Amino acid sequence: MTAASMPQDKNSHIIQTIASYGKSLLGFIRKRVKNDADAEDILQDVWYQFSNVVNAGPIEQTSAWLYRVAKNRIIDKHKKHSETLLDDILPATGDDEEDNFDFQSILLTEPKTPETEYLRNLFWEQLFVALDELPENQRQVFIWQELDDMPFEEIAQKTGENINTLVSRKRYAVLHLRKRLKQLYKEITEY
C-alpha cells in the first residue's frame, strides 16, 4: 500500500461506517435527548471523534466504540442537570438505615479528582442502564421531565396523555432508579 492510498482507504472506511451505523446510531441518540437538533449535534460530534481516532489508528470494535462515545456525549449533555436530578431520584438520608445512601456527597464533591470523576461517570452510566430497563413510556417521561427540563404540561401536549398519568409514570421510573442506584451506592461504599 502506498502512502498516497492510505488517506483514501481511511476516508472510504469512515464513509462506509457512517453508512452502516448512521441511522441506528441517530435513533439511539434520539431516544435519549429532547429534540432532533440535539441528536444531530451529538451524532456529528461522534463522527468527528471517529474520524480523528481512525486517522490515529484502527478501532477494534467499531460499533461498541461508536455507541460508547454517543452515550458519553449524551451524558455530558445531561450533566448540567445533575444537581436537580439528584434531588429527585436520590432520597435524602433518612432515619431508616436501608434508605440511608447519599450519592450527592460523592457526585457533587469539589475539587474534582480522578476518583470522583470515575464515580460520576459510573453513576451516569448506571443511570442510563437503569433507564433502558424501564418501559418506553416511563423512560421517556423521566428523560423529558428531568433531563430535558420539559414541564408536564408540555409533555401532555406532546403526547396527548393526561398529566396525572405522566406524573404516575415518572413516579414509577423514579422508584426503579432509586432501587437500582441504591445497589450501586452499596457497591461503592463497601470497598
Side-chain angles (χ1 to χ4, degrees):
M1 179 184 299
T2 66
S5 67
M6 283 179 45
Q8 183 63 29
D9 290 343
K10 287 182 182 182
N11 286 340
S12 65
H13 177 64
I14 291 170
I15 292 168
Q16 183 180 15
T17 302
I18 290 172
S20 297
Y21 295 103
K23 219 177 219 182
S24 63
L25 195 57
L26 182 59
F28 172 82
I29 297 167
R30 275 188 179 143
K31 284 183 178 179
R32 291 158 176 83
V33 297
K34 184 176 183 176
N35 57 49
D36 289 345
D38 289 343
E40 289 170 9
D41 287 346
I42 290 170
L43 183 61
Q44 184 177 6
D45 188 39
V46 170
W47 294 133
Y48 176 75
Q49 288 188 25
F50 179 71
S51 67
N52 286 336
V53 170
V54 166
N55 288 333
I59 297 175
E60 214 169 289
Q61 295 182 342
T62 303
S63 176
W65 187 92
L66 290 170
Y67 282 92
R68 185 174 58 248
V69 170
K71 187 175 267 190
N72 289 342
R73 292 297 145 251
I74 294 165
I75 289 169
D76 290 345
K77 180 187 175 339
H78 293 311
K79 277 184 180 178
K80 66 179 179 176
H81 298 292
S82 64
E83 195 165 333
T84 57
L85 171 66
L86 293 175
D87 288 342
D88 189 42
I89 65 171
L90 302 176
T93 55
D95 297 331
D96 184 5
E97 190 65 32
E98 285 295 307
D99 289 333
N100 197 6
F101 67 105
D102 185 15
F103 263 110
Q104 291 183 13
S105 65
I106 295 171
L107 297 174
L108 300 177
T109 301
E110 293 294 332
K112 293 180 181 178
T113 65
E115 183 180 36
T116 59
E117 282 303 301
Y118 170 77
L119 293 175
R120 285 181 184 116
N121 288 335
L122 182 62
F123 168 81
W124 282 102
E125 183 179 304
Q126 289 303 305
L127 174 67
F128 279 99
V129 167
L131 280 170
D132 285 342
E133 296 169 351
L134 290 169
E136 176 65 26
N137 56 10
Q138 291 176 15
R139 176 178 54 246
Q140 197 59 59
V141 168
F142 182 86
I143 289 171
W144 282 333
Q145 225 278 313
E146 285 298 327
L147 301 179
D148 294 336
D149 275 344
M150 190 182 294
F152 280 117
E153 294 80 14
E154 188 177 335
I155 299 170
Q157 289 174 350
K158 184 174 189 158
T159 63
E161 296 282 350
N162 181 310
I163 290 177
N164 290 335
T165 301
L166 298 172
V167 169
S168 177
R169 288 178 182 164
K170 181 185 171 194
R171 180 180 172 276
Y172 285 118
V174 167
L175 292 174
H176 174 74
L177 296 173
R178 282 182 181 171
K179 181 179 177 184
R180 291 283 279 122
L181 295 173
K182 182 178 179 179
Q183 292 172 357
L184 175 63
Y185 183 78
K186 284 181 180 181
E187 291 173 14
I188 290 171
T189 57
E190 287 177 0
Y191 279 112

